[in-house]
Amino acid sequence: MPASSGAHGEADATERKNGRNETASTDATLNARAKSPKSSGPRKWIYALVAAIAVIAIIVAIVVSRGKTAADGAGEAKADTITIGLKLAPASLDIRHQSGSAIEQVLIGNVYEALLSRDSDNNVQPGIAKSWDISKDGKTYTFHLNKNMRFSNGDKLDADDVAWSINQLKEKQYYNANQVESLDKAEAVDSDTVRLTLSAPDSNLLWYLTGRPGLVFDRNAKYSAKTEAVGSGPYTVESFDPASKMVLKANAKYWGSAHKPVTEHAVLKFINDDNAAVNALKSGDVDVLSPVNATLAKSLDTNTYRVSAADGSDKFVLAFNCANSKLKDKRIRQAIRYGINHKEIIASRGNVDYALGGPIPSVDPGYEDLTSLYPYNVDKAKQLMKEAGYSTDNPLKLTLTYANTYGTELGDQLKSQLAKIGIYLKINYVEFSTWLQDVHANGDYELSLVDHAESHDFYKWTTPDYYFHYDGKQAQELYAKALKATDEKQSADYLKQAAKAVSEDAPADWLFGYRVTVACNRNVQGFPGKLSQTVLPLWRISKTK
């Protein structure tokens, strides 16, 4: 399965060229070749000469007016800084150890690069490798690397760095090493070729190599990974404060041409309060909000801002701790699912999100609408609670622990809805860093709520020691078959069956598929319309002055 050659795949070349009609030419030499009727006589010759001079004058005026922006085709000068408001901040820059999607969003493809990349349609594209081949048995992958690559410190990047990085991931079990369990080893065949050997076929491997498992690090660099970064991407980290912002600067030693930054500085401001974020956009403190509260976005002047929403990989998950003595009872978990009015929740958020019903989002292989498995039914929920020994007069007490970055409304709605079926819900709002430690790392909770933004993350439902503590044998068996399938359709069919098995067991409720609403000032170009929570190509984004 060879891939297209080139340093990087271009996901949206039309958008990247700012909407210019590429069939028209502003090249004077081409215009000069345009055919015209033959003329005779001095007067006609003079008229022709005057017309030619006029054409040349117009062309010169166009060239002068575009002189400073010829690279992007726009008629206005570009600003040297773009400022983007994000909701979540990475706790540190140590991408080999730090969990969470926030760190992936800002670093992957911008500061660090992976063996492969992905575009805003969630498709695998070339990255550090320009092409690759897969053996017929699906166990050997050969990657052909770009030439003359360098890290931001000037060190050369070659196959030894790639092989070392992937082997270190496996050896030291860096974050997401479990995504590539079937990978035995990586070898540098020569300076421009890397071979990966698997113990069994893995239909997800290429996609995972666009993320943390595929990241390439400088094996000789010395730096503090929590506060500094040495990568090969188009940007370097100039400063980082998880409480306020990150400043990225164009990498002067960047090896690539296709992903060369349009804007010198990218400032990422972390604003977790929805109202404060919208005020920052209106005041000009930020140029883009990703995400923006869908309801608050309605107050934005459409003459000044573009507001859009699209399906992504985000899944708002109400997780049940399946190891908890109360929640081991499947009837309790099922009752909670029947007792949640998803339409009401979605409507309160501006009617932008979509009902999901299962663990696979619409942009991933294996997606199926599973909302019919647990439709809103208070009577059925009450009956299940009664069978488990609870009622509105004798409620079950549960605690919902989630990060205060998501606001209080969701917790309040769930508390109100579940009270109707005999559950008293105590809400425990915590800092996101506390959630990562207590819930995600230690599994110390009863119910929790989080936006799982990652794509292709079904494996979490087949990992019993993940914080869900869900041990579904049927799902594990079906997922194993999906990985081994070398046919994409067959793999997706197994994934569908596995997702349905998980949803039926009710180890969580999928409140909604989160459609990320983005608001951009109209002087901003190149911001991705989809998947900006996980794929944020800062090198494409620019702003006119």
Side-chain angles (χ1 to χ4, degrees):
M1 183 177 141
S4 60
S5 60
H8 291 274
E10 290 302 317
D12 193 349
T14 303
E15 181 179 343
R16 187 169 55 82
K17 293 179 181 178
N18 298 316
R20 289 185 300 165
N21 182 351
E22 294 301 302
T23 61
S25 175
T26 55
D27 188 328
T29 60
L30 294 182
N31 292 335
R33 292 173 187 165
K35 293 182 179 180
S36 59
K38 292 183 180 180
S39 60
S40 60
R43 182 169 295 180
K44 291 184 178 180
W45 180 87
I46 291 171
Y47 289 159
L49 178 60
V50 170
I53 292 172
V55 169
I56 292 171
I58 291 170
I59 292 170
V60 169
I62 293 172
V63 170
V64 170
S65 68
R66 295 186 175 188
K68 293 183 179 180
T69 56
D72 52 48
E76 300 178 51
K78 298 294 183 183
D80 64 1
T81 301
I82 184 79
T83 305
I84 299 168
L86 303 177
K87 197 174 185 71
L88 296 180
S92 84
L93 299 182
D94 189 356
I95 198 164
R96 285 179 285 195
H97 293 97
Q98 181 63 56
S99 60
S101 61
I103 190 171
E104 298 175 3
Q105 178 189 30
V106 298
L107 293 186
I108 295 180
N110 294 316
V111 176
Y112 290 109
E113 291 182 303
L115 190 56
L116 300 174
S117 67
R118 62 180 180 266
D119 60 23
S120 293
D121 288 319
N122 217 20
N123 297 318
V124 174
Q125 300 288 344
I128 282 175
K130 62 183 179 180
S131 62
W132 56 91
D133 304 294
I134 305 173
S135 62
K136 288 184 179 180
D137 64 3
K139 294 183 180 181
T140 303
Y141 288 67
T142 303
F143 295 90
H144 310 286
L145 310 184
N146 291 287
K147 296 182 181 293
N148 302 316
M149 294 183 291
R150 294 199 174 273
F151 292 100
S152 59
N153 60 3
D155 288 356
K156 184 179 180 181
L157 189 167
D158 59 19
D160 287 330
D161 295 290
V162 176
W164 175 83
S165 298
I166 294 174
N167 288 330
Q168 285 281 291
L169 172 91
K170 295 285 291 183
E171 178 185 333
K172 299 191 174 181
Q173 285 296 290
Y174 290 139
Y175 194 81
N176 280 0
N178 59 335
Q179 289 183 339
V180 288
E181 286 183 354
S182 62
L183 176 59
D184 278 345
K185 62 180 177 179
E187 302 171 276
V189 178
D190 54 44
S191 62
D192 300 322
T193 311
V194 174
R195 180 168 57 233
L196 303 188
T197 305
L198 283 64
S199 59
D202 184 350
S203 60
N204 280 330
L205 182 69
L206 290 177
W207 196 92
Y208 284 143
L209 290 175
T210 69
R212 298 196 203 211
L215 292 180
V216 178
F217 301 92
D218 184 351
R219 65 192 189 281
N220 298 317
K222 305 295 181 185
Y223 59 100
S224 175
K226 289 186 177 181
T227 57
E228 300 173 295
V230 177
S232 62
Y235 281 96
T236 61
V237 178
E238 188 171 273
S239 65
F240 170 61
D241 179 357
S244 60
K245 67 180 180 180
M246 176 188 295
V247 179
L248 302 181
K249 183 179 181 180
N251 178 8
K253 297 183 176 68
Y254 185 54
W255 60 272
S257 58
H259 289 189
K260 190 175 179 63
V262 179
T263 305
E264 181 70 12
H265 285 93
V267 179
L268 308 175
K269 290 192 174 182
F270 309 121
I271 313 172
N272 58 35
D273 180 86
D274 290 339
N275 287 293
V278 171
N279 289 335
L281 181 66
K282 289 180 176 179
S283 68
D285 287 345
V286 299
D287 305 304
V288 182
L289 280 181
S290 177
V292 60
N293 179 285
T295 301
L296 294 177
K298 294 176 182 178
S299 69
L300 296 173
D301 181 2
T302 55
N303 292 318
T304 306
Y305 307 99
R306 291 189 306 271
V307 179
S308 61
D311 284 9
S313 57
D314 296 68
K315 307 159 288 291
F316 260 71
V317 180
L318 178 66
F320 311 151
N321 187 343
C322 295
N324 179 269
S325 58
K326 303 171 188 176
L327 293 159
K328 282 183 179 179
D329 189 332
K330 184 177 178 179
R331 293 171 300 184
I332 300 295
R333 305 197 305 268
Q334 290 179 312
I336 293 173
R337 295 202 65 186
Y338 280 122
I340 294 174
N341 187 334
H342 299 88
K343 288 183 179 179
E344 184 179 273
I345 290 175
I346 291 172
S348 72
R349 293 171 50 84
N351 267 325
V352 173
D353 306 312
Y354 66 99
L356 186 56
I360 297 180
S362 62
V363 298
D364 281 359
Y367 166 73
E368 182 179 12
D369 182 353
L370 297 174
T371 54
S372 62
L373 292 179
Y374 290 94
Y376 180 50
N377 190 324
V378 172
D379 291 338
K380 186 171 286 190
K382 282 183 175 181
Q383 180 60 38
L384 287 164
M385 291 299 294
K386 183 179 179 181
E387 292 174 11
Y390 301 97
S391 67
T392 52
D393 296 326
N394 178 36
L396 169 66
K397 295 180 180 179
L398 291 171
T399 299
L400 169 62
T401 303
Y402 74 96
N404 54 17
T405 50
Y406 297 116
T408 61
E409 187 175 0
L410 270 175
D412 292 342
Q413 284 181 300
L414 291 169
K415 183 174 183 175
S416 174
Q417 291 184 4
L418 296 182
K420 298 174 184 177
I421 68 169
I423 292 178
Y424 173 76
L425 199 60
K426 177 184 176 183
I427 311 296
N428 180 24
Y429 302 109
V430 298
E431 296 293 327
F432 187 63
S433 57
T434 302
W435 182 90
L436 284 171
Q437 185 60 44
D438 293 350
V439 178
H440 190 267
N442 298 335
D444 183 14
Y445 74 104
E446 290 181 333
L447 302 180
S448 191
L449 167 66
V450 71
D451 170 17
H452 277 277
E454 301 89 342
S455 180
H456 287 64
D457 62 351
F458 183 83
Y459 70 92
K460 293 173 180 176
W461 298 101
T462 66
T463 309
D465 59 355
Y466 194 64
Y467 83 95
F468 305 138
H469 298 145
Y470 170 62
D471 191 5
K473 302 301 183 186
Q474 184 183 8
Q476 292 167 19
E477 291 171 2
L478 288 166
Y479 184 60
K481 290 180 179 179
L483 292 182
K484 291 179 181 178
T486 54
D487 178 77
E488 289 183 6
K489 184 180 182 303
Q490 186 181 46
S491 177
D493 286 342
Y494 281 129
L495 280 172
K496 280 185 180 180
Q497 295 175 50
K500 187 174 183 179
V502 170
S503 186
E504 287 174 342
D505 276 351
D509 185 82
W510 294 269
L511 297 176
F512 49 85
Y514 178 28
R515 284 194 177 104
V516 179
T517 302
V518 174
C520 294
N521 193 299
R522 286 193 174 274
N523 64 357
V524 172
Q525 299 86 37
F527 196 88
K530 294 185 288 185
L531 294 170
S532 60
Q533 295 288 86
T534 52
V535 182
L536 186 58
L538 295 171
W539 49 270
R540 285 180 50 185
I541 307 169
S542 65
K543 180 181 74 170
T544 54
K545 290 183 179 179

